[in-house]
Amino acid sequence: MKDVYLFSGFLGSGKTSMLTDVIRQLKEKGLKPAVIMNELGKLPFDSQAVEEDVPLKEMLEGCICCSGAEKTEAQIQSLLLDNEFDVLIIETTGAAHPVEALDAVYSPLFAEKLNIKGIVTVADSKLWLNRDVLTPQLRSLFMEQIRHAHLLLANKTDLLTEEEQAKVVYELQGFNPQAFILQTTNGRVPLHLLEGLAATTPIDKSNVVKASVSSMQLGSRLVEFEQGSFTQEQFEDWVRQLPDSVYRMKGFVPIEGVKNPMLFQYAYGMVQWLPEFVKMPAKLVIIGENVGNVQVIGVD
């Protein structure tokens, strides 16, 4: 499996500085990194920081978390087919919401090939202290990026006094108590902290859940179904009783009387079914918080 890291953070927080340093550390360890970089503009300014020997896919003029979701899936498929690499780093734009970005990374077509290690959010420490100057919409996005992080970098601490540094750490820890918080300058993070993350909760062949250490945070779970084990009505009854902590689901669901597993998508209470004319693997990806404890129809 390929380890995958999602780098999140507000505009100008220091994500690209972190990216270049993590690439350096991976290479020093003998690992081959690959990068998907999402930029809102027409020109790939940030991608110039990635060395030529690193496989790179760019997404310009579109956020990874909205219209770019299908493009992201195609880019990952292309990397898996055409490149040899050990670790995939996906750098989102500063405008990306972590839940939406994580959803764009997952596909039941290659979920078994990827091990999502976690969301690493770079937060500008000075901006955190001055967050009240942001518009309500930007402030909400800034806070959501921090709330869903598995590893949180309080960056640019060199611009703060010791008292301000302590205030930032105390407030961030209270806002996201599950995340490990590291005070940094220039986005420098030791590789072992990244390698210790575990955001994916897999299912083994006996359908026993292997809960990860971060199961209370934003993460995912891959479920495999037996062919034609329930009706569409039974499946939707199960969906309706899911906790609010389940944000997204997508995959191919086997339905009694239907030849091929149907394409199923769920987002914040809305359900969509589409017929599939090719037999796809009967797998479902669940994205949310504490997904390891969700009882799954036909599995638990």
Side-chain angles (χ1 to χ4, degrees):
M1 294 181 73
K2 315 286 188 184
D3 286 344
V4 181
Y5 298 97
L6 193 69
F7 286 0
S8 175
F10 209 58
L11 301 165
S13 59
K15 291 194 304 298
T16 302
S17 296
M18 175 175 65
L19 174 66
T20 54
D21 188 58
V22 169
I23 288 175
R24 175 189 60 80
Q25 293 183 72
L26 288 168
K27 287 183 173 182
E28 288 178 355
K29 195 174 179 179
L31 297 172
K32 291 192 67 176
V35 175
I36 292 179
M37 189 170 284
N38 185 208
E39 300 186 67
L40 286 174
K42 293 182 179 181
L43 298 175
F45 291 112
D46 288 345
S47 63
Q48 295 170 11
V50 179
E51 296 174 15
E52 290 184 3
D53 63 334
V54 176
L56 171 69
K57 297 290 184 181
E58 296 168 287
M59 295 184 57
L60 305 178
E61 288 194 283
C63 182
I64 193 173
C65 59
C66 43
S67 61
E70 291 182 359
K71 294 179 183 177
T72 304
E73 184 175 313
Q75 299 282 43
I76 293 174
Q77 281 279 54
S78 176
L79 279 174
L80 289 170
L81 287 172
D82 301 333
N83 300 97
E84 287 292 327
F85 64 94
D86 302 301
V87 178
L88 174 60
I89 300 171
I90 300 176
E91 182 186 333
T92 66
T93 71
H97 187 290
V99 174
E100 314 288 342
L102 190 63
D103 176 56
V105 175
Y106 277 106
S107 167
L109 298 177
F110 48 70
E112 286 183 323
K113 298 178 182 178
L114 302 179
N115 177 31
I116 309 296
K117 298 286 285 183
I119 297 172
V120 183
T121 296
V122 188
D124 183 326
S125 297
K126 201 166 188 66
L127 182 60
W128 171 263
L129 293 176
N130 299 315
R131 60 192 180 277
D132 288 342
V133 304
L134 297 171
T135 64
Q137 185 178 11
L138 288 179
R139 185 167 62 248
S140 175
L141 175 62
F142 182 50
M143 303 287 276
E144 284 293 283
Q145 290 174 342
I146 291 169
R147 186 171 77 87
H148 288 297
H150 300 98
L151 174 61
L152 185 55
L153 272 59
N155 199 29
K156 304 184 182 181
T157 53
D158 54 319
L159 303 179
L160 305 180
T161 65
E162 288 188 9
E163 183 180 349
E164 288 174 328
Q165 291 177 20
K167 178 180 172 66
V168 168
V169 172
Y170 178 78
E171 291 181 353
L172 289 177
Q173 194 73 75
F175 190 65
N176 183 348
Q178 275 91 31
F180 183 89
I181 297 176
L182 178 69
Q183 290 182 288
T184 60
T185 57
N186 300 317
R188 296 292 178 92
V189 55
L191 189 59
H192 71 85
L193 287 182
L194 299 179
E195 294 175 331
L197 299 175
T200 302
T201 304
I203 303 293
D204 67 14
K205 294 303 180 183
S206 60
N207 289 332
V208 177
V209 177
K210 292 183 272 187
S212 67
V213 293
S214 60
S215 60
M216 291 301 292
Q217 293 174 276
L218 183 64
S220 70
R221 179 177 172 184
L222 176 63
V223 178
E224 297 184 40
F225 293 113
E226 297 294 329
Q227 181 65 36
S229 53
F230 32 74
T231 66
Q232 188 170 330
E233 183 180 5
Q234 287 172 328
F235 193 83
E236 291 193 12
D237 285 343
W238 167 72
V239 170
R240 278 190 284 272
Q241 57 83 37
L242 287 172
D244 293 338
S245 57
V246 174
Y247 302 138
R248 293 277 199 276
M249 291 188 291
K250 60 182 178 181
F252 302 96
V253 178
I255 298 297
E256 288 181 7
V258 180
K259 182 180 178 181
N260 297 319
M262 296 183 68
L263 175 62
F264 172 81
Q265 297 198 60
Y266 167 89
Y268 300 111
M270 301 294 291
V271 168
Q272 181 184 39
W273 294 93
L274 291 171
E276 275 293 329
F277 301 103
V278 178
K279 188 172 183 179
M280 305 301 291
K283 298 175 183 178
L284 181 73
V285 175
I286 304 172
I287 299 170
E289 297 177 51
N290 198 22
V291 292
N293 292 339
V294 173
Q295 289 197 326
V296 179
I297 183 173
V299 175
D300 299 327

